[in-house]
Amino acid sequence: MVIACDTLLLLTVGPTVSKRCLKEEGHVARVTVIGTGYVGLVSGVCLANSGHDVTCVDIDPAKVAQLTSGRSTIYEPGIEELLVAGLANGTLRFTTPSDGWAPLIGDITFVAVGTPMAANGAADLSQVRAVVADLAAAADRPFILVMKSTVPPGTGATVKSRNLSDAAVPIAYVSNPEFLREGHAVADWYHTDRIVLGSDDSSALAAVCELYADIDAPILETDTASAETIKYASNAFLSTKISFINEIANLCDAIGADIDSVSTGIGMDTRIGPAFLKAGIGYGGSCFPKDTRALDFIATLNGYQFTLLKSVIEVNNRQRLLPVIHLARAIPDLHERTVAVLGLSFKPDTDDVREAPAVDIVPLLAEGGANVVVYDPIAAHIPLEDATRVATVWEALDGASAAIVTTEWPEFRDLDWARARSMMHDPALVYDGRNCLDGDTLRAAGIEYMAVGRQGAHRASI
Ligand code: UGA
């Protein structure tokens, strides 16, 4: 078959994937990162560590002062070492925009400010809009604006038409979503599965690509709306895997199968893969809950009913209530008992409690009348009106009739459960909301062990 030249062209139009970006010998980019939250700080520190000249800007002078003194504002393994190194070798600095934006704008300027969830479920873009407007108004020479904040599909097009087209100088726009997990962000920066760049400006794409020349990852170059969608679709798909396996776990509870075996068995299919098939009380954090709701919102806004995504969200909302439902069934006078909640953060290796299951579980238990005692090895800043906060796991378990493991901190996995049993009151029930404990060890210690879809665990169906 002969394919005409123009047909061939059509067939090759679409995203391009390249193995590596080429870096000009000795090339150092002047980079600005706006926002020193979790994404901005990791990006700035890692880009400086690659030898780029990086200025990080934040409106909060206290943060800027702390970072300038070499102390990280987030709990993230490896970040402080890189921060200190960048400050010491002069590739990294922090400042506020108090003297105006114009001198701060780098050849490549990343926007990494927050896009929290608005009351209606949409992403609140007020910080992004304000920064983009400031940059466009202040720019006195051309630069590339890289959007690192998670913004809904269509945002790039709006920013270009509303802000950048009116600027006094040309400003190119590149969408560059992040795929960093909290607690692994530095490692994820260097060992990412892919770098996604979305723009209609090929020279801007090439310049941003060059920033990542030392990272051994495939680069996907596409249009802006597709890059924005890749970010949301990735988080929505991972959330879907979690809600799916949680429903299978609930089914395992009902029919007597074991979720550990089922997860392993389906994960062995390379088309499915083993990741994100850990059943439990569902996903939390600053990303999955916010991004799934924002994607649902943007779909509805565009006239599409994303039925599957709505179910994923609903399943997750219900899943985190399971420990309270099961405990109330197992201990009828729960309102007169002490319940220990072990773990506040939405996952281990972070102090982040945003959308963490514990944040819903604690008030629910307290409203039911239980005396709630909470322990977390790191997360310390959450205000807890409904519960007593203690400094050790033993204080939490002392006199508790039940405990709920809400975060799979290694400390809980490796706990002396016989000692725990000796301190707990009957029925000494432990609800393992993360399926992270060894049920046999707990049962051998005389503890009544409940988990999510695990065989041998005390069963209770929804
Ligand atoms: C997530 C994504 O994994 C990152 O790729 C993305 O960049 C980031 O959101 C973001 O959008 O900024 P993160 O929220 O840090 O990262 O946390 P994950 O490690 O993905 O875990 C999310 C939640 O899912 C946690 O509550 C975790 O306990 C839960 N989870 C995860 C499960 O319940 N089961 C699993 O099998 C995996």
Coordinates of all heavy atoms in Angstrom, one line a residue, residues 38-39 150 178-182 231 235 238 242 246 275-279 282-288 291 346-347 408 434, ligand 1:
Y38 N 4.3 23.0 48.4 CA 5.0 21.7 48.3 C 5.5 21.5 46.8 O 6.6 21.1 46.6 CB 4.0 20.7 48.8 CG 3.9 19.4 48.0 CD1 4.9 18.4 48.3 CD2 2.9 19.1 47.2 CE1 4.8 17.2 47.7 CE2 2.8 17.9 46.5 CZ 3.8 17.0 46.8 OH 3.7 15.8 46.1
V39 N 4.7 21.9 45.8 CA 5.1 21.7 44.4 C 6.2 22.8 44.1 O 7.3 22.4 43.5 CB 3.9 21.9 43.5 CG1 4.4 21.8 42.0 CG2 3.0 20.7 43.7
T150 N -1.8 22.8 39.4 CA -2.8 22.0 38.8 C -4.0 22.8 38.4 O -4.8 23.3 39.3 CB -3.2 20.8 39.7 OG1 -2.0 20.0 40.0 CG2 -4.3 19.9 39.1
E178 N 2.7 18.4 37.3 CA 3.6 17.6 38.2 C 2.9 16.3 38.6 O 1.7 16.2 38.7 CB 4.0 18.5 39.4 CG 2.8 19.0 40.2 CD 2.2 18.1 41.2 OE1 2.9 17.1 41.6 OE2 1.1 18.3 41.7
F179 N 3.8 15.3 38.8 CA 3.3 14.0 39.2 C 4.1 13.6 40.5 O 4.6 12.4 40.6 CB 3.5 13.0 38.1 CG 2.8 13.4 36.8 CD1 3.5 13.9 35.8 CD2 1.4 13.3 36.7 CE1 2.9 14.4 34.6 CE2 0.8 13.7 35.5 CZ 1.5 14.2 34.5
L180 N 4.2 14.5 41.4 CA 5.0 14.2 42.6 C 4.1 13.7 43.7 O 3.1 14.3 44.0 CB 5.7 15.5 43.1 CG 6.5 16.3 42.0 CD1 6.9 17.7 42.6 CD2 7.7 15.5 41.6
R181 N 4.5 12.7 44.4 CA 3.8 12.2 45.5 C 4.4 12.8 46.8 O 5.6 12.9 46.9 CB 3.9 10.7 45.7 CG 3.2 9.9 44.7 CD 3.6 8.4 44.7 NE 5.1 8.4 44.5 CZ 5.8 7.3 44.7 NH1 5.3 6.2 45.3 NH2 7.1 7.3 44.5
E182 N 3.5 13.3 47.7 CA 4.0 13.8 49.0 C 4.8 12.7 49.7 O 4.4 11.5 49.6 CB 2.9 14.3 49.9 CG 2.4 15.6 49.4 CD 1.4 16.2 50.4 OE1 1.5 15.9 51.6 OE2 0.4 16.8 49.9
K231 N -3.0 15.5 33.5 CA -2.8 15.6 35.0 C -4.1 15.1 35.7 O -4.0 14.3 36.6 CB -2.5 17.1 35.3 CG -2.6 17.4 36.8 CD -1.5 16.7 37.6 CE -1.8 16.9 39.1 NZ -0.8 16.3 39.9
N235 N -4.7 11.5 38.0 CA -5.2 11.4 39.4 C -6.6 10.7 39.4 O -6.8 10.0 40.4 CB -5.2 12.8 40.0 CG -3.9 13.2 40.5 OD1 -2.9 12.4 40.4 ND2 -3.8 14.4 41.1
L238 N -6.0 6.9 39.0 CA -5.5 6.3 40.3 C -6.5 6.2 41.4 O -6.7 5.2 42.1 CB -4.2 7.0 40.7 CG -3.0 7.0 39.8 CD1 -1.9 7.9 40.2 CD2 -2.5 5.6 39.7
I242 N -8.3 2.9 43.3 CA -8.4 2.7 44.8 C -9.9 2.4 45.1 O -10.2 1.5 45.9 CB -7.9 4.0 45.5 CG1 -6.4 4.2 45.3 CG2 -8.2 3.9 47.0 CD1 -5.9 5.5 45.7
N246 N -11.4 -1.0 46.7 CA -12.1 -0.9 48.0 C -13.5 -1.5 47.8 O -14.0 -2.2 48.8 CB -12.2 0.6 48.4 CG -10.9 1.0 49.0 OD1 -10.1 0.2 49.5 ND2 -10.7 2.3 49.0
A275 N 0.1 -1.6 41.3 CA 0.1 -0.3 42.0 C -1.3 0.2 42.3 O -2.3 -0.1 41.5 CB 0.9 0.8 41.2
F276 N -1.5 0.8 43.4 CA -2.8 1.5 43.8 C -3.9 0.5 43.9 O -5.1 0.7 43.5 CB -3.1 2.6 42.8 CG -2.3 3.8 43.2 CD1 -1.0 3.9 42.8 CD2 -2.9 4.9 43.9 CE1 -0.2 5.0 43.2 CE2 -2.1 6.0 44.3 CZ -0.8 6.0 44.0
L277 N -3.6 -0.7 44.3 CA -4.6 -1.8 44.6 C -4.6 -2.1 46.1 O -4.9 -3.2 46.4 CB -4.4 -3.0 43.7 CG -4.6 -2.8 42.2 CD1 -4.3 -4.1 41.5 CD2 -6.1 -2.3 41.9
K278 N -4.2 -1.2 46.9 CA -4.2 -1.5 48.3 C -5.6 -1.0 48.9 O -5.9 0.2 48.9 CB -3.0 -0.7 48.9 CG -2.8 -0.9 50.4 CD -2.0 -2.1 50.6 CE -1.9 -2.4 52.1 NZ -1.8 -3.7 52.5
A279 N -6.3 -1.9 49.4 CA -7.7 -1.6 49.9 C -7.5 -1.0 51.3 O -6.5 -1.2 52.0 CB -8.5 -2.8 50.0
G282 N -9.7 4.4 52.0 CA -9.8 5.3 50.9 C -8.7 6.3 50.9 O -7.9 6.5 51.7
Y283 N -8.8 7.1 49.7 CA -7.7 8.1 49.5 C -8.1 9.4 50.2 O -9.2 9.7 50.4 CB -7.5 8.3 48.0 CG -8.7 8.7 47.2 CD1 -9.2 10.1 47.2 CD2 -9.5 7.8 46.5 CE1 -10.3 10.5 46.5 CE2 -10.6 8.3 45.7 CZ -11.0 9.6 45.8 OH -12.1 10.0 45.1
G284 N -7.0 10.1 50.5 CA -7.1 11.5 51.1 C -6.1 12.4 50.5 O -5.6 12.1 49.4
G285 N -5.7 13.4 51.2 CA -4.6 14.3 50.7 C -5.2 15.5 49.9 O -6.4 15.7 49.8
S286 N -4.2 16.3 49.5 CA -4.6 17.6 48.9 C -4.8 17.4 47.4 O -5.2 18.4 46.7 CB -3.4 18.6 49.1 OG -2.3 18.1 48.4
C287 N -4.7 16.2 46.8 CA -4.7 16.0 45.4 C -5.9 15.2 44.9 O -6.8 15.8 44.2 CB -3.5 15.4 44.9 SG -2.0 16.3 45.4
F288 N -6.0 14.0 45.3 CA -7.1 13.1 44.7 C -8.5 13.6 45.0 O -9.3 13.8 44.1 CB -6.9 11.7 45.2 CG -5.8 10.9 44.6 CD1 -5.5 9.6 45.0 CD2 -5.0 11.5 43.6 CE1 -4.4 8.9 44.5 CE2 -3.9 10.8 43.0 CZ -3.6 9.5 43.5
D291 N -8.9 17.0 43.0 CA -8.8 16.9 41.5 C -9.9 16.1 40.9 O -10.4 16.4 39.9 CB -7.4 16.3 41.1 CG -6.3 17.2 41.4 OD1 -6.6 18.4 41.8 OD2 -5.1 16.8 41.4
F346 N -2.8 11.9 55.9 CA -3.5 11.1 55.0 C -2.8 9.9 54.5 O -3.3 9.0 53.9 CB -4.0 12.0 53.8 CG -2.9 12.3 52.8 CD1 -2.9 11.6 51.6 CD2 -2.0 13.3 53.0 CE1 -1.9 11.9 50.6 CE2 -1.1 13.6 52.0 CZ -1.0 12.9 50.8
K347 N -1.4 9.9 54.7 CA -0.6 8.7 54.4 C 0.7 8.9 55.2 O 0.9 10.0 55.8 CB -0.3 8.6 52.9 CG 0.5 9.7 52.4 CD 0.8 9.5 50.9 CE 1.8 10.5 50.4 NZ 2.2 10.3 49.0
E408 N -0.9 4.2 57.8 CA 0.0 3.0 58.0 C 1.4 3.4 58.3 O 2.4 3.1 57.6 CB -0.1 2.1 56.7 CG 0.4 2.7 55.4 CD -0.6 3.5 54.7 OE1 -1.4 4.2 55.3 OE2 -0.6 3.4 53.4
R434 N -6.0 0.4 57.2 CA -5.1 0.4 56.1 C -4.6 -1.0 55.7 O -3.6 -1.1 54.9 CB -3.9 1.3 56.4 CG -4.2 2.8 56.5 CD -4.8 3.3 55.2 NE -5.1 4.7 55.3 CZ -5.7 5.4 54.3 NH1 -6.0 4.7 53.2 NH2 -6.0 6.6 54.4
Ligands
UGA1 C1 -0.9 12.0 44.2 C2 -0.3 11.3 43.0 O1 0.1 10.0 43.3 C3 0.8 12.1 42.4 O2 1.2 11.5 41.2 C4 0.3 13.5 42.1 O3 1.3 14.3 41.6 C5 -0.2 14.1 43.4 O4 -1.3 13.3 43.9 C6 -0.7 15.5 43.0 O5 -1.6 15.6 42.3 O6 0.0 16.5 43.4 P1 -0.2 12.1 46.8 O7 -1.6 12.8 47.0 O8 1.0 12.6 47.5 O9 0.1 12.0 45.2 O10 -0.4 10.6 47.4 P2 -0.5 9.1 46.9 O11 0.7 8.4 47.4 O12 -0.8 9.0 45.5 O13 -1.7 8.6 47.8 C7 -3.0 9.2 47.7 C8 -4.0 8.6 48.7 O14 -4.4 7.3 48.1 C9 -3.5 8.3 50.1 O15 -4.5 8.6 51.0 C10 -3.2 6.8 50.1 O16 -3.3 6.2 51.4 C11 -4.3 6.3 49.1 N1 -4.0 5.0 48.5 C12 -2.9 4.9 47.6 C13 -4.8 3.9 48.8 O17 -5.7 4.0 49.6 N2 -4.5 2.8 48.1 C14 -3.5 2.6 47.3 O18 -3.3 1.5 46.7 C15 -2.7 3.7 47.0

